Amino acid sequence: MSQLAPGVVPGRLPADAYARNFSDVEPPLDGHEAKVAADRCYFCHDAPCVTACPTAIDIPLFIRQIATGTPEAAARTIFNQNILGGMCARVCPTEQLCEEVCVRETAEGKPVEIARLQRHATDTLMARNVHPFERAEPTGKRVAVVGAGPAGLSAAHRLAMLGHEVTIFDARPKPGGLNEYGIASYKTPDNFAQAEVDWLLMIGGITLKTGQALGRDITLEGLRAEFDAVFLGMGLSGVNALRAEGEDREHVHPAVDFIAALRQAEDLASLPIGRDVVVIGGGMTAIDAGVQAKLLGAENVTIVYRRGQEKMSASLHEQDHATASGVRLICHAAPVKVHGNGAVREVEFAYTEDGPGGLRLLSETFRLKADQLFKAIGQTLGEVPEGIALEGGKIAVDATGRTSLPGVWAGGDCAAGGEDLTVTAVAQGRDAAVDIHAELCPS
């Protein structure tokens, strides 16, 4: 099969190209490299990087521990605040968080490589296949966690560590949530998401039940009756519509489905990809879909966003990675019609103007050739449990994650407030677990 073959076909590239294209996007530091990188840290008092971290990891401390040759101690410092520190080191937009405010960044334009140092520490400890924490004495309390994504896993681990018995229910066949199904493969090669879950479960006291969807197999009412507390961390399962004529044509798919299929594929060469691919959206999902379409052999990949590039939720680092990979970015354009005879052949866009009154479509339009179209314009809450209050289309929560229903907490993408980031979900799950513990076991 040639890369220039028309239509949506598999096997556009030579066999060895797939392994090369989807190898680790940023190889890990070795011991010497880690020490050199750690020596650049000023070990600031009241370090701005700690404030910028949603999980408040003591970054100067763990970097000092690496500098002194104790990366496993550094890992314990990280895991104490963020039990998914290994994944966050790979996918967290550190260039917008801790590294952006690093004193080295503001002074020299080159921050301390916090993410790579965090990965070095966490990988070192996890490679030993030991767990750094032990469970407290059993409390006799049972907690249900709905969703085995970052928020649910974080909550479950902290609850188990505090002595509670936890049961996680997840709708998919495998745990991990977006870490398993929604992140670009080149960021998490070698099945890291599942390895991390297996390692996390070593704490004990956690039972995992997959294939259990809220509203289909389990109900919130039933969980509240059976368990002492419930944490909802099921993420977002709905996909926003384009609201463009013809979006029901063949080869028009949600980008999240494309990424999930790619992550679960045993043979990347078997995945069909178009020659001309268009992705609509401006977030990380759009970037991940666009870059991976290019890596699968698409000749032309274009990401189209309705507002200006500075308003894309994907970081500038990720935008630059996309363009360096050969993906074209077009801004200030919105889809108005999907053309084709059965399957998509062209997508028509209107230029947009973003002013004080909001986004406005202009009369001038243009078309992009496309034999495959991916929608990455946000997701919505799926099953809404009866009686639970919503805010902005998500579950309303207070600062501790409590919902409108007694005994029910929520966190992660399904909950209102905060950014849709793995690290934010981890923090919300952890903090809700602490509040659940305080409610169940008041001192």
Side-chain angles (χ1 to χ4, degrees):
M1 185 70 67
S2 165
Q3 187 176 8
L4 303 182
V8 181
V9 297
R12 287 189 175 274
L13 301 176
D16 60 343
Y18 293 100
R20 184 171 61 252
N21 286 355
F22 288 90
S23 61
D24 207 330
V25 67
E26 193 160 20
L29 300 171
D30 61 28
H32 174 72
E33 291 170 331
K35 283 189 175 183
V36 171
D39 281 341
R40 294 190 66 244
C41 182
Y42 285 138
F43 310 115
C44 305
H45 178 66
D46 294 332
C49 56
V50 177
T51 304
C53 175
T55 53
I57 295 170
D58 191 336
I59 295 169
L61 174 59
F62 93 67
I63 293 180
R64 186 183 295 276
Q65 289 167 322
I66 291 174
T68 56
T70 55
E72 293 174 1
R76 284 189 287 273
T77 297
I78 295 162
F79 288 133
N80 187 58
Q81 293 295 105
N82 182 348
I83 197 59
L84 298 180
M87 180 62 76
C88 288
R90 290 161 165 80
V91 304
C92 191
T94 52
E95 64 279 353
Q96 290 181 316
L97 298 170
C98 55
E99 292 181 8
E100 182 179 60
V101 300
C102 174
V103 174
R104 285 282 196 178
E105 167 66 20
T106 56
E108 305 169 8
K110 184 180 179 183
V112 174
E113 295 181 283
I114 298 172
R116 297 186 76 192
L117 288 167
Q118 179 167 313
R119 176 177 174 179
H120 172 74
T122 54
D123 284 4
T124 299
L125 180 62
M126 291 176 69
R128 290 185 54 205
N129 203 32
V130 296
H131 201 77
F133 306 112
E134 295 182 359
R135 298 188 68 205
E137 289 297 315
T139 63
K141 303 293 184 179
R142 301 173 64 240
V143 182
V145 172
V146 180
L153 290 170
S154 175
H157 182 273
R158 187 60 57 125
L159 287 163
M161 201 169 84
L162 292 169
H164 306 293
E165 289 291 330
V166 183
T167 302
I168 305 177
F169 301 88
D170 194 87
R172 293 191 185 261
K174 294 163 67 174
L178 286 179
N179 288 354
E180 173 60 35
Y181 292 96
I183 293 172
S185 292
Y186 56 81
K187 296 178 181 177
T188 59
D190 303 322
N191 204 28
F192 180 78
Q194 288 307 300
E196 186 175 51
V197 172
D198 292 342
W199 175 84
L200 180 149
L201 294 176
M202 290 171 64
I203 186 70
I206 302 174
T207 301
L208 177 64
K209 296 185 177 182
T210 56
Q212 300 288 302
L214 188 66
R216 184 191 70 196
D217 308 291
I218 54 174
T219 64
L220 182 55
E221 182 182 8
L223 294 178
R224 293 178 73 196
E226 183 181 352
F227 292 87
D228 297 295
V230 179
F231 176 81
L232 302 176
M234 61 278 193
L236 303 173
S237 57
V239 178
N240 288 326
L242 286 180
R243 297 178 182 174
E245 182 184 347
E247 70 172 293
D248 58 347
R249 297 191 187 281
E250 191 179 354
H251 301 317
V252 178
H253 301 290
V256 290
D257 292 350
F258 165 63
I259 294 171
L262 196 155
R263 283 293 301 273
Q264 301 307 307
E266 294 184 5
D267 178 12
L268 293 175
S270 68
L271 289 173
I273 195 72
R275 179 177 175 180
D276 298 287
V277 175
V278 173
V279 183
I280 298 174
M284 280 306 310
T285 299
I287 297 292
D288 283 357
V291 171
Q292 292 189 114
K294 191 69 176 176
L295 296 178
L296 284 174
E299 182 185 12
N300 301 302
V301 179
T302 307
I303 295 176
V304 184
Y305 179 55
R306 59 182 179 158
R307 301 186 189 276
Q309 190 171 347
E310 74 284 353
K311 292 190 176 180
M312 292 178 71
S313 58
S315 69
L316 183 60
H317 172 80
E318 291 292 341
Q319 294 175 40
D320 289 344
H321 176 68
T323 55
S325 300
V327 176
R328 180 170 58 150
L329 298 182
I330 295 178
C331 295
H332 295 294
V336 292
K337 189 172 183 179
V338 179
H339 296 272
N341 183 15
V344 57
R345 286 295 175 263
E346 288 184 325
V347 185
E348 184 176 354
F349 294 88
Y351 288 104
T352 65
E353 185 176 73
D354 197 3
L359 195 71
R360 184 169 68 93
L361 297 185
L362 304 180
S363 58
E364 186 178 359
T365 65
F366 66 93
R367 294 189 184 192
L368 290 178
K369 184 179 179 182
D371 44 31
Q372 200 167 31
L373 174 63
F374 294 123
K375 303 180 289 184
I377 53 174
Q379 292 181 264
T380 58
L381 191 61
E383 179 72 22
V384 180
E386 187 175 350
I388 203 159
L390 301 181
E391 177 186 332
K394 296 186 177 184
I395 299 172
V397 293
D398 66 10
T400 61
R402 296 189 184 215
T403 72
S404 59
L405 293 178
V408 181
W409 285 254
D413 290 354
C414 69
E419 299 180 55
D420 294 341
L421 299 173
T422 297
V423 66
T424 304
V426 171
Q428 292 173 342
R430 177 201 67 195
D431 294 347
V434 172
D435 193 60
I436 292 170
H437 177 70
E439 179 76 11
L440 298 182
C441 303
S443 55

